[in-house]
Amino acid sequence: MPEHLLTNANIHTLDPQRPHAAAIAIRDEKIVAVGTEAEARAALPSAHATDLRDQTVLPGLIDAHMHMEWYSTGLQAVNAETPTRDECLRRVQAKARTTPRGAWITGYGWNQTLWGGFPTAADLDAVTQEHPVFLRAKSGHAGWANSLALKLAGITAATPDPHGGEIQRDAQGEPTGILLEDAMGLVSAHVPTPTVDELADRMRPAMENAWKFGLTGVHDFDGQRSLRAWQILRERGQLGLRVVKTIRVAYLDHAIGLGLRSGFGDDWIRLGNVKVFLDGALGPRTARMIEPYEGEPGNYGIVVTDPEEFYEHASKAAQFGLAMTTHAIGDKVNHDLLNVYAKVRSEETARGLARLRHRCEHVQILHPDDYARLGQLNVIASMQPIHATSDMLMADKYWGLRRSAGAYAWRTQLNAGAVLAFGSDCPVESLNPFLGIHAAVTRRRADGSPGPGGWYPEQRLTVNEAVRGFTLGAAYAGYMEDKIGSLQAGKLADVIVIDRDIYSGDPMDIKDTQVLGTMAGGEWKHRTF
Ligand SMILES: [Zn+2]
């Protein structure tokens, strides 16, 4: 029976009854005692103690919004975002050495303006002719293929340009290897989609990264293939993250037909909420706004799912015990979704239904009239603190200073009584949750900008509030707050050891935190000591 007795530790338990402790006793997958060394020893008298030498211990962190298939696939790809073409070619060559002959090499991130012009198929041919290669540009508007990839796609001098795209050609009319806009599809259609078993293989290094960052749980927002891959990992005995998997709204009727309810599952895999996209995003100025974008009088953003349709989904899902979640960025869609949730809440009450754990993803900007409504309606605010500091300049520019005061406003949400569940939106941002905790506490970027107070400093959280978003808050959003999210006897032993006390040091150093050990279910998944 595996036992762990961790002593001489600086433990922040997240248990409000006993926020601080010095020792923790673990038997099998559960915590049996948290407290003084004597209390922990009494629970496990024969266990060998591990002296943590005053290192800091936290509950395993949970990322409440990430994309596992997207992230895992990206880890396999060549990072083509390099200052020179030669460096990019070196990376392709290195990848080719570890890739079976004939298998595709893909990548993303090159920029011809940094490289003094477009590269060619011949450049890639010089590093491999045995693998088809296709690398997308950072802009998203061009792709770069080698000769084998062009051949597999059947692209020759005789191939006409497709509608909406262009095959770049040299003076002799031969394809150069550069495909613009919709011509990229001629090649990308030949890049095979990994099987679900292959996806499970790709998830393993992604899980290892998660452990190195101190994560023991994730809420996965990718498609249903990844749910199958998670189950394959579990069948193989390789699953070491607690997973909450969202359900695409396209499968709502299937989920109802199968009799599934949000929260169904066990300690490793649970079904989460039904996910609907309501609008676009800040960067492309497609988030739906009440007033137009600054300097663009006609642009209010776009609606992806209108409120009536969202209401139909939400009302139906709630009747069958399925909670909703929404991608909602702009203040207009957030306003509309809160109206829908208000209606669904009154239906839940009238019909005597369970009050479901509906949530909202991003909560990026709210109108002042709506600030308090998530809390009032008990809608979970699933936010990604790192987006605030990444987006702050864009937010001020596109939304203006007056509206930005209500953007990424987690202090406002917390004070209004909403549960905060924090995540990364990885791979949009790094999977490292300490970057999120840093952003939530400081409202500053890693380089210190925009200055000592941070961006809208009134929105800063305490360290404990920020950690709570990545532990108990995320656990609640995943129907598991009775099992994980704090260090208490009876809970599952998801524990991390970090190299500094983020509660007492300079908040600007939180971003540099290194994880020394990550234990999930009583097993060390990552350990450096
Ligand atoms: Zn996302």
Side-chain angles (χ1 to χ4, degrees):
M1 201 157 29
E3 294 183 340
H4 300 275
L5 181 62
L6 308 180
T7 58
N8 195 17
N10 170 35
I11 306 174
H12 298 287
T13 66
L14 274 288
D15 172 7
Q17 306 301 318
R18 187 167 197 169
H20 197 258
I24 181 165
I26 292 154
R27 186 191 296 124
D28 293 333
E29 59 173 5
K30 283 194 176 162
I31 298 167
V32 292
V34 182
T36 63
E37 183 164 340
E39 287 168 327
R41 273 190 190 280
L44 286 184
S46 58
H48 170 75
T50 304
D51 182 340
L52 286 183
R53 300 197 181 103
D54 207 30
Q55 297 286 8
T56 295
V57 169
L58 298 175
L61 302 177
I62 304 160
D63 187 320
H65 185 126
M66 61 86 67
H67 298 265
M68 194 61 173
E69 179 168 2
W70 185 8
Y71 175 57
S72 305
T73 302
L75 290 179
Q76 304 294 312
V78 172
N79 176 4
E81 195 168 354
T82 58
T84 66
R85 187 190 53 175
D86 286 350
E87 173 55 26
C88 181
L89 291 170
R90 268 193 292 279
R91 292 183 187 182
V92 173
Q93 190 168 36
K95 189 75 185 173
R97 278 192 214 107
T98 59
T99 304
R101 177 194 278 242
W104 281 79
I105 293 172
T106 57
Y108 166 77
W110 56 275
N111 180 349
Q112 74 278 5
T113 56
L114 295 179
W115 293 359
F118 280 109
T120 65
D123 297 328
L124 288 169
D125 294 346
V127 292
T128 180
Q129 299 184 23
E130 295 178 347
H131 306 85
V133 182
F134 187 57
L135 307 176
R136 287 175 184 275
K138 175 109 178 157
S139 67
H141 297 286
W144 174 24
N146 69 349
S147 294
L148 182 54
L150 293 173
K151 189 175 158 205
L152 291 174
I155 297 174
T156 67
T159 309
D161 286 339
H163 181 74
E166 183 193 336
I167 301 166
Q168 195 190 63
R169 298 166 205 264
D170 65 17
Q172 285 72 45
E174 294 294 330
T176 62
I178 295 298
L179 303 151
L180 301 166
E181 302 296 348
D182 290 355
M184 288 188 282
L186 298 175
V187 173
S188 63
H190 292 268
V191 179
T193 309
T195 65
V196 177
D197 281 281
E198 285 165 346
L199 176 57
D201 292 339
R202 292 177 175 193
M203 283 183 179
R204 293 190 64 193
M207 261 194 314
E208 280 165 23
N209 287 356
W211 297 326
K212 285 181 195 152
F213 288 137
L215 292 165
T216 54
V218 295
H219 296 192
D220 178 8
F221 278 72
D222 274 339
Q224 306 312 123
R225 275 163 51 84
S226 64
L227 177 58
R228 277 156 60 205
W230 287 119
Q231 291 172 78
I232 287 168
L233 285 174
R234 203 239 301 263
E235 287 159 19
R236 293 182 188 164
Q238 295 167 341
L239 180 59
L241 285 176
R242 302 192 195 278
V243 180
V244 175
K245 185 68 204 71
T246 48
I247 301 166
R248 293 240 158 125
V249 70
Y251 301 113
L252 173 58
D253 288 336
H254 299 263
I256 291 169
L258 280 169
L260 299 173
R261 292 164 62 92
S262 295
F264 172 77
D266 61 14
D267 292 348
W268 289 103
I269 304 179
R270 298 227 174 188
L271 287 176
N273 295 10
V274 176
K275 167 87 187 288
V276 181
F277 274 87
L278 298 186
D279 68 344
L282 166 63
R285 283 159 284 166
T286 50
R288 186 68 169 177
M289 301 299 293
I290 294 167
E291 295 171 45
Y293 283 79
E294 296 295 308
E296 286 184 282
N299 184 11
Y300 293 82
I302 61 163
V303 175
V304 174
T305 306
D306 67 42
E308 292 73 25
E309 190 185 346
F310 173 52
Y311 165 72
E312 279 171 31
H313 294 315
S315 177
K316 180 157 123 187
Q319 286 177 54
F320 293 97
L322 288 157
M324 298 301 291
T325 191
T326 55
H327 165 104
I329 308 281
D331 56 10
K332 175 69 168 116
V333 288
N334 275 293
H335 177 77
D336 290 345
L337 87 87
L338 287 164
N339 289 347
V340 169
Y341 278 143
K343 208 163 154 188
V344 171
R345 284 296 188 216
S346 59
E347 290 175 0
E348 288 172 357
T349 306
R351 294 186 180 142
L353 298 169
R355 286 174 67 80
L356 294 163
R357 296 186 186 182
H358 301 298
R359 51 194 273 183
C360 174
E361 304 307 311
H362 310 308
V363 199
Q364 223 147 289
I365 183 165
L366 293 186
H367 186 275
D369 292 350
D370 295 324
Y371 285 171
R373 293 178 74 207
L374 278 92
Q376 285 160 3
L377 291 164
N378 200 14
V379 173
I380 296 161
S382 171
M383 304 178 78
Q384 300 76 37
I386 192 72
H387 282 333
T389 47
S390 292
D391 295 357
M392 60 188 183
L393 300 176
M394 270 196 305
D396 283 342
K397 185 170 165 201
Y398 297 156
W399 290 336
L401 302 183
R402 173 178 54 83
R403 284 189 285 182
S404 283
Y408 314 85
W410 37 76
R411 162 63 62 200
T412 300
Q413 288 310 312
L414 195 62
N415 289 357
V419 171
L420 292 178
F422 279 160
S424 65
D425 212 2
C426 169
V428 177
E429 299 283 356
S430 164
L431 189 58
N432 183 352
F434 291 96
L435 302 183
I437 295 170
H438 172 262
V441 171
T442 65
R443 307 273 297 188
R444 300 173 76 185
R445 289 185 180 173
D447 67 6
S449 61
W455 187 60
Y456 298 93
E458 63 278 10
Q459 295 296 337
R460 288 178 301 197
L461 297 184
T462 67
V463 174
N464 198 60
E465 287 165 341
V467 171
R468 204 180 155 89
F470 280 102
T471 54
L472 280 174
Y476 175 82
Y479 306 85
M480 289 191 76
E481 75 283 4
D482 56 336
K483 303 261 187 180
I484 55 174
S486 61
L487 301 175
Q488 289 173 256
K491 280 198 165 180
L492 294 163
D494 295 357
V495 180
I496 64 169
V497 184
I498 56 177
D499 72 340
R500 66 197 67 199
D501 187 358
I502 59 175
Y503 280 62
S504 63
D506 178 351
M508 277 307 285
D509 293 339
I510 295 173
K511 65 185 188 310
D512 304 317
T513 301
Q514 299 295 311
V515 175
L516 306 176
T518 298
M519 177 186 280
E523 260 181 51
W524 290 109
K525 299 295 183 184
H526 162 74
R527 187 175 177 180
T528 62
F529 55 90

